[in-house]
Amino acid sequence: MAINKYMRAALKALSYGEPDLTENYEMVRKIKELKRGVGAGLAYRTWDHLVPCGDHHVPVRIFAPDAGPLGRPVLLFFHGGGWVTGNIENYSGVCAALAKATGCLVASVDYRLAPEHKFPRGLNDCYAAAQELLEKPGLLGVERDQITLIGDSAGGNLAAAVSLMARDRGGLLPARQILIYPAVYSDHTPASPFPSVRENGTGYLLTSKRVEEYLQLYRSGPEDLQNPYLAPLLAGDFSGQPDTLVITAEYDPLRDEGEEYARRLAFAGNRVVLHRMPDALHGFFSLPARFAQVRRAHLYIQQFIAGDDML
């Protein structure tokens, strides 16, 4: 359904008056934590696992679509929330729906959040979880080529950064990565080279101002804005990356940077599939699975995992 003038007016009203995130991130986090995912009535099972990472352990929750055996493809999921909000609990509905739609196991990583844990701590958690699963795929009864990294928004950023880091460090790479409206650049001011920052930066729920606030809370210092592990589009080398699916949203300030990342990967010789979701806002993937855009995204993911749409 196209966004009509009445919906545009409502979105514009909802986009104004948001609190300054840098001063009120705890309040925003608590509000989002109230929206706990409940799986939308889906039948699924879960179990928890801890991944060692330096002086702490990273919680990972595995979602299975049914009571069947292991040995099915695994989606290692990094949640969105601007690196500041979100957790396993309020993404449980998203992960359960994804497991049910794809028939895959979904392993959701509860990485540490900023600003208490600034860049690159959350990224290090995600990297540790990916490397453990890739080194020990038998933990979930799969082969290494059955493992896919996936993330939405900040989670898409983390998935892309984990793949770059694995290549640079000589670590193990997943067979595939799925980046859903990823944040992959470090400038969302009017000076950004991407038109979607200006076209969609106000009036569509996620504002360009809010993205800048998230980055301010996430980074350890201004120098991080030039680090490709914080902004993967700044990488000097895009070769040697997994097969990649990028899904963007039409009315999203992050749309153009995600699509440019797909183009850079493809130009460097990687296999890439890009889909722009029409009439979609940033965050649509967290809607219930009954929404057509979510169902279409699930279909794209199924096709990608099966290799049906690779060019």
Side-chain angles (χ1 to χ4, degrees):
M1 178 185 296
I3 299 179
N4 60 39
K5 64 179 181 179
Y6 303 107
M7 189 178 296
R8 287 180 189 274
L11 289 170
K12 186 175 181 180
L14 289 169
S15 299
Y16 288 141
E18 59 186 8
D20 186 315
L21 186 70
T22 59
E23 297 179 359
N24 298 280
Y25 71 88
E26 291 178 313
M27 178 188 71
V28 174
R29 185 185 290 169
K30 288 177 181 177
I31 291 171
K32 291 194 175 186
E33 287 176 353
L34 293 174
K35 301 176 182 178
R36 293 180 180 270
V38 294
L42 297 173
Y44 65 97
R45 60 189 176 115
T46 68
W47 64 99
D48 293 334
H49 176 67
L50 292 175
V51 174
C53 180
D55 60 357
H56 69 287
H57 288 79
V58 183
V60 178
R61 180 166 296 169
I62 297 93
F63 294 76
D66 50 46
L70 300 180
R72 61 187 83 194
V74 174
L75 300 174
L76 185 63
F77 186 84
F78 307 136
H79 66 76
W83 311 277
V84 174
T85 69
N87 56 35
I88 282 177
E89 297 297 338
N90 60 23
Y91 262 79
S92 64
V94 173
C95 292
L98 182 60
K100 190 70 174 179
T102 62
C104 297
L105 297 178
V106 176
S108 181
V109 180
D110 208 13
Y111 59 87
R112 290 173 293 176
L113 299 177
E116 295 89 346
H117 303 283
K118 290 181 176 290
F119 174 83
R121 294 176 187 171
L123 172 59
N124 289 339
D125 290 349
C126 294
Y127 184 78
Q131 289 302 299
E132 183 187 70
L133 182 56
L134 290 164
E135 289 171 1
K136 305 173 184 176
L139 288 172
L140 295 178
V142 297
E143 299 297 328
R144 192 176 296 155
D145 63 4
Q146 292 179 288
I147 297 169
T148 300
L149 303 187
I150 179 172
D152 67 320
S153 192
N157 166 285
L158 292 166
V162 165
S163 292
L164 290 172
M165 185 178 284
R167 181 202 61 193
D168 295 345
R169 293 182 176 181
L172 295 173
L173 277 164
R176 291 164 296 276
Q177 62 179 352
I178 299 171
L179 315 178
I180 302 172
Y181 38 76
V184 289
Y185 198 57
S186 56
D187 182 359
H188 301 87
T189 69
S192 168
F194 299 112
S196 62
V197 171
R198 293 175 290 281
E199 294 169 2
N200 304 326
T202 59
Y204 294 104
L205 297 185
L206 178 67
T207 65
S208 54
K209 174 179 177 290
R210 178 51 55 91
V211 179
E212 284 291 297
E213 290 172 347
Y214 279 131
L215 282 166
Q216 184 177 341
L217 289 170
Y218 181 45
R219 72 190 192 200
S220 294
E223 66 280 0
D224 291 336
L225 296 178
Q226 303 304 315
N227 190 321
Y229 298 148
L230 183 140
L233 254 180
L234 299 177
D237 179 7
F238 295 92
S239 66
Q241 290 299 277
D243 291 352
T244 302
L245 168 64
V246 177
I247 301 174
T248 62
E250 181 177 4
Y251 297 109
D252 182 358
L254 305 182
R255 181 195 68 206
D256 293 349
E257 64 193 73
E259 294 177 2
E260 179 62 17
Y261 195 68
R263 285 188 285 269
R264 298 273 185 96
L265 289 175
F267 186 76
N270 302 288
R271 303 177 71 197
V272 180
V273 177
L274 171 63
H275 293 289
R276 179 188 292 188
M277 193 68 68
D279 300 318
L281 304 179
H282 186 91
F284 77 84
F285 196 67
S286 293
L287 293 170
R290 66 178 180 273
F291 282 81
Q293 292 163 334
V294 179
R295 294 198 306 271
R296 186 181 299 182
H298 287 162
L299 177 61
Y300 291 155
I301 291 168
Q302 287 177 292
Q303 292 173 336
F304 175 69
I305 293 170
D308 292 342
D309 62 353
M310 295 305 301
L311 301 178

